[in-house]
Structures are given as C-alpha cells and as structure tokens.
Amino acid sequence: LDAVSQNWRAMQFASQAVRADRQTVIEAIRRGGGLLLQFVSEALQGDREVVLEAVARDGLALQFAFYNAFRADKELVLAAVKQNWRAIELASEEIRGDREVVLEAMRQNWRSIEFVADDLKADREVMLEAVRQDGEALRYASEELRVDQEFVREASEKGWLVVATGISCAIPEAECFLDGPERRVEEF
C-alpha cells in the first residue's frame, strides 16, 4: 500500500492475491486514486462498491469497470461525472439522456454537450447552462432554440454575434464587420 500511495501504477506489480483482496484494493484506491482500478482483478472491477470508490476518486476510472451495465448505473455515472465531467462520454446512451447527470457535467464544462442525447439539446435549461459558459455552445442547440431571442442574447453577451441567417461571428476584440471582407464567420 505504501508503494501505491506514492504511485498508483505500482498496483500492476502487486501479486494476484493482493489485486484480488477487496479490502486492500479499496484502501489502495483511497490512497492511490481511482485509475488503479485497471490493475485489480476482474472480480473487483465488477464489484459495484469498488467501482463506486474508484469513480469517486477519478471519474474516468469508469472505463475500467468490468460490466458495461455500470455505464448505465445512474449513481455510478453521477459520481464519476461529479469528479470529472468527461466521464459523461463513458456513460450509456440512456444516461447521456438523463437530465440530472447532463446538468452536472454541463455545470463543469459546456463542452460536455457533445456527448449528451439530442433531445437534451432542445432543453432550455441545459442549453442555457452551456450558452452562459460560452456562446459557441449555441451551435449544439436544437434549431428551435437557435432562433430563440433569449439564447441569442446569452450568446451575444459571451462575445458572439448571431444573426438570423445562421452565421455566427466571433468578436474577440469587439470588431466584427457583418458586410465587410474582414469578417470571420462560421456556419452552424
């Protein structure tokens, strides 16, 4: 355990007996972090309590869970996402459509919108959370929301000018010429 406390990768060199001992592995996760889940026995990678301990320490440890069913376990995924928003990418399609899990990821980083179910891209609260962080998130919103004046206002407050044609123009220095050759535009 001392070696694992200094470097979690040391678990890969532990004996099979150590990597299969539940209490030792839980303590090792507590000391060394969740990613050492990849070096424990398959039986413990399939133990829900061990996986929960691991994802609470490092959300990306979810990728080392033995059962894909854990990716559809809301409690596990929510714990993983709370620790690291990128864990949403590892979640099942069903969980990517769970509003609570998605909002947790979104509060940490709007870019998590890339991994959520399409129907939540039409959800006003979800998309407002994203647009408040960065107007570029408006690109991922449903067509219906992209023409919504409130969303346009939120996006423009973050340095984006969105016009009715669907063209957006980044305004890093408050200079954007809608009809001049100097404009930088991006299509939705």
mmCIF file of all heavy atoms in Angstrom, residues 163 165 167-170 175-187:
data_model
loop_
_atom_site.group_PDB
_atom_site.id
_atom_site.type_symbol
_atom_site.label_atom_id
_atom_site.label_comp_id
_atom_site.label_asym_id
_atom_site.label_seq_id
_atom_site.Cartn_x
_atom_site.Cartn_y
_atom_site.Cartn_z
ATOM 1 N N VAL A 163 -26.662 36.048 -36.071
ATOM 2 C CA VAL A 163 -27.652 36.730 -36.893
ATOM 3 C C VAL A 163 -28.651 35.724 -37.440
ATOM 4 O O VAL A 163 -28.403 34.535 -37.450
ATOM 5 C CB VAL A 163 -26.978 37.526 -38.043
ATOM 6 C CG1 VAL A 163 -26.159 38.659 -37.493
ATOM 7 C CG2 VAL A 163 -26.143 36.633 -38.913
ATOM 8 N N THR A 165 -29.440 34.676 -40.189
ATOM 9 C CA THR A 165 -29.061 33.801 -41.288
ATOM 10 C C THR A 165 -28.404 32.519 -40.806
ATOM 11 O O THR A 165 -28.158 31.626 -41.587
ATOM 12 C CB THR A 165 -28.066 34.516 -42.229
ATOM 13 O OG1 THR A 165 -26.897 34.829 -41.476
ATOM 14 C CG2 THR A 165 -28.669 35.749 -42.830
ATOM 15 N N ILE A 167 -25.423 32.539 -39.293
ATOM 16 C CA ILE A 167 -23.976 32.762 -39.302
ATOM 17 C C ILE A 167 -23.588 33.380 -37.970
ATOM 18 O O ILE A 167 -24.259 34.260 -37.460
ATOM 19 C CB ILE A 167 -23.569 33.707 -40.454
ATOM 20 C CG1 ILE A 167 -23.909 33.061 -41.797
ATOM 21 C CG2 ILE A 167 -22.092 34.057 -40.361
ATOM 22 C CD1 ILE A 167 -23.684 33.976 -42.973
ATOM 23 N N SER A 168 -22.514 32.898 -37.406
ATOM 24 C CA SER A 168 -22.021 33.487 -36.172
ATOM 25 C C SER A 168 -20.640 34.063 -36.436
ATOM 26 O O SER A 168 -19.926 33.607 -37.308
ATOM 27 C CB SER A 168 -21.947 32.449 -35.059
ATOM 28 O OG SER A 168 -21.003 31.453 -35.389
ATOM 29 N N CYS A 169 -20.295 35.047 -35.687
ATOM 30 C CA CYS A 169 -19.006 35.706 -35.876
ATOM 31 C C CYS A 169 -18.373 35.926 -34.512
ATOM 32 O O CYS A 169 -18.973 36.573 -33.663
ATOM 33 C CB CYS A 169 -19.218 37.051 -36.581
ATOM 34 S SG CYS A 169 -17.714 37.967 -36.873
ATOM 35 N N ALA A 170 -17.206 35.358 -34.287
ATOM 36 C CA ALA A 170 -16.513 35.565 -33.022
ATOM 37 C C ALA A 170 -16.050 37.012 -32.955
ATOM 38 O O ALA A 170 -15.587 37.570 -33.940
ATOM 39 C CB ALA A 170 -15.316 34.627 -32.915
ATOM 40 N N GLU A 175 -14.676 43.644 -32.726
ATOM 41 C CA GLU A 175 -14.680 44.095 -34.119
ATOM 42 C C GLU A 175 -15.237 42.983 -34.993
ATOM 43 O O GLU A 175 -14.645 41.935 -35.123
ATOM 44 C CB GLU A 175 -13.262 44.422 -34.576
ATOM 45 C CG GLU A 175 -12.696 45.650 -33.908
ATOM 46 C CD GLU A 175 -11.317 46.005 -34.459
ATOM 47 O OE1 GLU A 175 -10.930 45.455 -35.491
ATOM 48 O OE2 GLU A 175 -10.669 46.829 -33.833
ATOM 49 N N CYS A 176 -16.366 43.222 -35.554
ATOM 50 C CA CYS A 176 -16.960 42.264 -36.472
ATOM 51 C C CYS A 176 -17.709 43.068 -37.521
ATOM 52 O O CYS A 176 -18.575 43.866 -37.189
ATOM 53 C CB CYS A 176 -17.913 41.317 -35.746
ATOM 54 S SG CYS A 176 -18.605 40.065 -36.838
ATOM 55 N N PHE A 177 -17.345 42.861 -38.738
ATOM 56 C CA PHE A 177 -17.971 43.609 -39.819
ATOM 57 C C PHE A 177 -18.890 42.662 -40.562
ATOM 58 O O PHE A 177 -18.438 41.784 -41.271
ATOM 59 C CB PHE A 177 -16.902 44.166 -40.763
ATOM 60 C CG PHE A 177 -15.899 45.010 -40.036
ATOM 61 C CD1 PHE A 177 -14.700 44.474 -39.608
ATOM 62 C CD2 PHE A 177 -16.170 46.344 -39.754
ATOM 63 C CE1 PHE A 177 -13.780 45.239 -38.926
ATOM 64 C CE2 PHE A 177 -15.258 47.122 -39.075
ATOM 65 C CZ PHE A 177 -14.046 46.565 -38.652
ATOM 66 N N LEU A 178 -20.187 42.853 -40.371
ATOM 67 C CA LEU A 178 -21.135 41.931 -40.964
ATOM 68 C C LEU A 178 -21.161 41.987 -42.480
ATOM 69 O O LEU A 178 -21.499 41.023 -43.119
ATOM 70 C CB LEU A 178 -22.546 42.199 -40.423
ATOM 71 C CG LEU A 178 -22.730 41.851 -38.947
ATOM 72 C CD1 LEU A 178 -24.129 42.229 -38.500
ATOM 73 C CD2 LEU A 178 -22.486 40.377 -38.715
ATOM 74 N N ASP A 179 -20.767 43.108 -43.055
ATOM 75 C CA ASP A 179 -20.807 43.171 -44.508
ATOM 76 C C ASP A 179 -19.443 43.497 -45.106
ATOM 77 O O ASP A 179 -19.336 43.843 -46.268
ATOM 78 C CB ASP A 179 -21.866 44.171 -44.987
ATOM 79 C CG ASP A 179 -21.766 45.510 -44.260
ATOM 80 O OD1 ASP A 179 -20.725 45.798 -43.657
ATOM 81 O OD2 ASP A 179 -22.765 46.236 -44.300
ATOM 82 N N GLY A 180 -18.407 43.348 -44.336
ATOM 83 C CA GLY A 180 -17.072 43.632 -44.835
ATOM 84 C C GLY A 180 -16.267 42.370 -45.062
ATOM 85 O O GLY A 180 -16.591 41.312 -44.535
ATOM 86 N N PRO A 181 -15.216 42.443 -45.851
ATOM 87 C CA PRO A 181 -14.410 41.265 -46.173
ATOM 88 C C PRO A 181 -13.584 40.780 -44.979
ATOM 89 O O PRO A 181 -13.111 39.668 -44.988
ATOM 90 C CB PRO A 181 -13.504 41.752 -47.299
ATOM 91 C CG PRO A 181 -13.422 43.231 -47.116
ATOM 92 C CD PRO A 181 -14.746 43.640 -46.533
ATOM 93 N N GLU A 182 -13.421 41.609 -43.943
ATOM 94 C CA GLU A 182 -12.582 41.239 -42.807
ATOM 95 C C GLU A 182 -13.262 40.289 -41.830
ATOM 96 O O GLU A 182 -12.643 39.804 -40.915
ATOM 97 C CB GLU A 182 -12.159 42.500 -42.006
ATOM 98 C CG GLU A 182 -11.446 43.526 -42.823
ATOM 99 C CD GLU A 182 -12.411 44.553 -43.411
ATOM 100 O OE1 GLU A 182 -13.566 44.231 -43.706
ATOM 101 O OE2 GLU A 182 -11.987 45.693 -43.578
ATOM 102 N N ARG A 183 -14.546 40.054 -42.008
ATOM 103 C CA ARG A 183 -15.276 39.255 -41.030
ATOM 104 C C ARG A 183 -14.772 37.812 -40.999
ATOM 105 O O ARG A 183 -14.288 37.276 -41.991
ATOM 106 C CB ARG A 183 -16.770 39.281 -41.310
ATOM 107 C CG ARG A 183 -17.162 38.504 -42.539
ATOM 108 C CD ARG A 183 -18.654 38.569 -42.749
ATOM 109 N NE ARG A 183 -18.953 37.912 -44.009
ATOM 110 C CZ ARG A 183 -20.128 37.736 -44.467
ATOM 111 N NH1 ARG A 183 -21.163 38.202 -43.812
ATOM 112 N NH2 ARG A 183 -20.328 37.134 -45.598
ATOM 113 N N ARG A 184 -14.892 37.239 -39.831
ATOM 114 C CA ARG A 184 -14.607 35.812 -39.663
ATOM 115 C C ARG A 184 -15.930 35.163 -39.348
ATOM 116 O O ARG A 184 -16.561 35.487 -38.357
ATOM 117 C CB ARG A 184 -13.623 35.592 -38.521
ATOM 118 C CG ARG A 184 -12.240 36.081 -38.891
ATOM 119 C CD ARG A 184 -11.301 35.831 -37.763
ATOM 120 N NE ARG A 184 -11.651 36.742 -36.691
ATOM 121 C CZ ARG A 184 -11.164 36.650 -35.465
ATOM 122 N NH1 ARG A 184 -10.336 35.717 -35.156
ATOM 123 N NH2 ARG A 184 -11.528 37.513 -34.541
ATOM 124 N N VAL A 185 -16.362 34.271 -40.173
ATOM 125 C CA VAL A 185 -17.668 33.662 -39.969
ATOM 126 C C VAL A 185 -17.543 32.157 -39.898
ATOM 127 O O VAL A 185 -16.625 31.567 -40.455
ATOM 128 C CB VAL A 185 -18.674 34.057 -41.078
ATOM 129 C CG1 VAL A 185 -18.939 35.533 -41.077
ATOM 130 C CG2 VAL A 185 -18.190 33.588 -42.437
ATOM 131 N N GLU A 186 -18.490 31.569 -39.226
ATOM 132 C CA GLU A 186 -18.589 30.131 -39.154
ATOM 133 C C GLU A 186 -20.042 29.764 -39.352
ATOM 134 O O GLU A 186 -20.921 30.365 -38.748
ATOM 135 C CB GLU A 186 -18.116 29.626 -37.783
ATOM 136 C CG GLU A 186 -16.671 29.969 -37.514
ATOM 137 C CD GLU A 186 -16.255 29.523 -36.117
ATOM 138 O OE1 GLU A 186 -16.819 28.533 -35.623
ATOM 139 O OE2 GLU A 186 -15.369 30.173 -35.562
ATOM 140 N N GLU A 187 -20.286 28.802 -40.189
ATOM 141 C CA GLU A 187 -21.657 28.333 -40.413
ATOM 142 C C GLU A 187 -22.061 27.392 -39.290
ATOM 143 O O GLU A 187 -21.238 26.646 -38.764
ATOM 144 C CB GLU A 187 -21.758 27.586 -41.744
ATOM 145 C CG GLU A 187 -21.497 28.449 -42.961
ATOM 146 C CD GLU A 187 -22.606 29.423 -43.220
ATOM 147 O OE1 GLU A 187 -23.751 29.174 -42.846
ATOM 148 O OE2 GLU A 187 -22.321 30.489 -43.807
#
